[in-house]
Amino acid sequence: MSPEKPMQKTNTIFVSKPGIEPDTMYSAPALAKKYIQYYLSASNGKGHGIHSPFVYDFVTAVLNDKRHYYAYTQVEQLRDALKADQEALEIVDMGAGSISGNTTRRTVASIVRNAAKSRKLAQLLFRVANHYGADHMLELGTSLGITTSYLALARLGGTVTTIEGAPAIAAAAARSFQALGLRNVAQLTGNFDEVLPALLPPQEAYDFVYIDGNHRKEPTLRYFQQLLPNMSGHSVMIFDDIHWSREMEEAWEEIKQHSAVMLSIDLFFLGFVFFRPGFLVKQHFTIRY
């Protein structure tokens, strides 16, 4: 499926996330050093030496699943089309920004190159949703809809509710969903703090939550706390860029230690937490991926 390329135009985006000082992000060299340390100290990515049956299954059946799913071709065709899209977006970015630096005017192509989840990680999220039967999913941070599309295609009988703070980016994502013919995506636009509470009625559980926005400690912990009552024993909550900055690393450490979290998995760029009551002892794994 090949999505149509939108006509070139200029939009102004007001991102409704609180600010962050740029120097709180780790520099590219510092992040590279941290990645090397992670890679050298992490457990083997093939499952050797992992004694937890659940984590061994996660590694062998999800991380190392080399099958080519139907969705991969569809979404990567979309990504290629967006990479060629020179639609100009004027951005007032009040969030954590991009490691490549904030600008006031960026093309769709540059957003895809610098902000979209890589093919490797987006396809991993697809496999997680598919493997664990996640039919009720929530995403904080739609961006241009690449990861959202992967999630929607993972469970065509399920639903993905996704929130984006920037109206023009949300509109671009809507075009992506239309191009892929997706009918199981519910889009909301606005500040997470204002939109999220209405999505958390009592007794309603999300199977899969992906938090990819506002990369700061206090908001990340706040979203985690807000979402906890809507997690079940079979839910997974995934945090993006857990080593993005000192603040995000501090948030990740607090989340890991929370009494409700029975298992956490650190893949450096993504952090997974599980709430399964069958885990009698809290465990944390850092796995090479």
Side-chain angles (χ1 to χ4, degrees):
M1 182 179 303
S2 180
E4 295 180 2
K5 178 183 174 185
M7 294 178 61
Q8 293 188 12
K9 57 184 178 180
T10 300
N11 292 310
T12 301
I13 298 174
F14 297 93
V15 179
S16 55
K17 294 184 286 189
I20 178 172
E21 293 298 324
D23 62 359
T24 62
M25 293 186 297
Y26 287 129
S27 65
L31 196 60
K33 182 178 179 181
K34 282 185 167 289
Y35 181 80
I36 292 170
Q37 293 170 340
Y38 146 81
Y39 191 85
L40 294 176
S41 62
S43 297
N44 185 285
K46 299 298 182 182
H48 306 311
I50 294 176
H51 300 293
S52 164
F54 182 89
V55 178
Y56 183 80
D57 176 75
F58 178 85
V59 172
T60 58
V62 182
L63 290 188
N64 291 310
D65 183 355
K66 305 302 182 185
R67 289 174 290 179
H68 185 87
Y69 290 88
Y70 65 94
Y72 293 4
T73 299
Q74 292 176 273
V75 182
E76 291 310 312
Q77 285 178 348
L78 169 67
R79 189 195 299 268
D80 289 343
L82 294 173
K83 282 181 178 178
D85 189 346
Q86 296 304 313
E87 176 185 1
L89 304 175
E90 291 188 10
I91 304 174
V92 179
D93 190 350
M94 298 176 64
S98 165
I99 198 167
S100 62
N102 294 338
T103 63
T104 57
R105 185 177 176 120
R106 295 173 66 188
T107 63
V108 169
S110 70
I111 295 172
V112 173
R113 286 194 301 270
N114 296 309
K117 218 68 209 134
S118 70
R119 176 173 60 182
K120 178 181 178 180
L121 295 177
Q123 290 177 357
L124 171 60
L125 294 174
F126 169 94
R127 296 196 299 274
V128 171
N130 181 60
H131 186 72
Y132 295 113
D135 288 328
H136 195 195
M137 294 176 274
L138 175 65
E139 177 187 46
L140 274 60
T142 315
S143 189
L144 293 170
I146 290 175
T147 300
T148 320
S149 297
Y150 268 117
L151 297 178
L153 288 166
R155 304 293 296 177
L156 289 172
T159 58
V160 181
T161 301
T162 184
I163 310 172
E164 172 56 47
I169 290 182
R175 294 195 293 271
S176 296
F177 304 145
Q178 184 177 14
L180 291 175
L182 297 176
R183 294 181 174 84
N184 59 336
V185 176
Q187 267 192 289
L188 297 168
T189 305
N191 188 304
F192 296 167
D193 293 329
E194 296 170 358
V195 177
L196 182 59
L199 299 176
L200 304 176
Q203 311 305 319
E204 182 169 348
Y206 286 100
D207 305 310
F208 179 110
V209 174
Y210 176 45
I211 300 176
D212 181 19
N214 205 337
H215 290 54
R216 297 184 304 136
K217 179 180 179 179
E218 191 276 329
T220 299
L221 292 174
R222 184 169 67 250
Y223 303 146
F224 171 70
Q225 292 286 352
Q226 285 179 286
L227 286 157
L228 274 179
N230 296 86
M231 298 293 99
S232 75
H234 296 284
S235 301
V236 56
M237 195 182 298
I238 304 166
F239 296 87
D240 187 67
D241 285 331
I242 56 174
H243 296 285
W244 166 280
S245 65
R246 181 174 297 175
E247 279 198 16
M248 284 301 294
E249 289 184 325
E250 290 173 354
W252 175 239
E253 287 301 316
E254 288 195 30
I255 289 165
K256 284 164 46 180
Q257 298 306 317
H258 193 279
S259 60
V261 174
M262 298 308 297
L263 171 69
S264 62
I265 298 175
D266 181 343
L267 300 183
F268 191 79
F269 294 107
L270 295 172
F272 296 75
V273 295
F274 297 87
F275 306 90
R276 301 192 174 221
F279 300 141
L280 300 179
V281 179
K282 180 188 286 289
Q283 293 180 290
H284 174 68
F285 291 83
T286 300
I287 299 172
R288 191 177 303 147
Y289 183 63

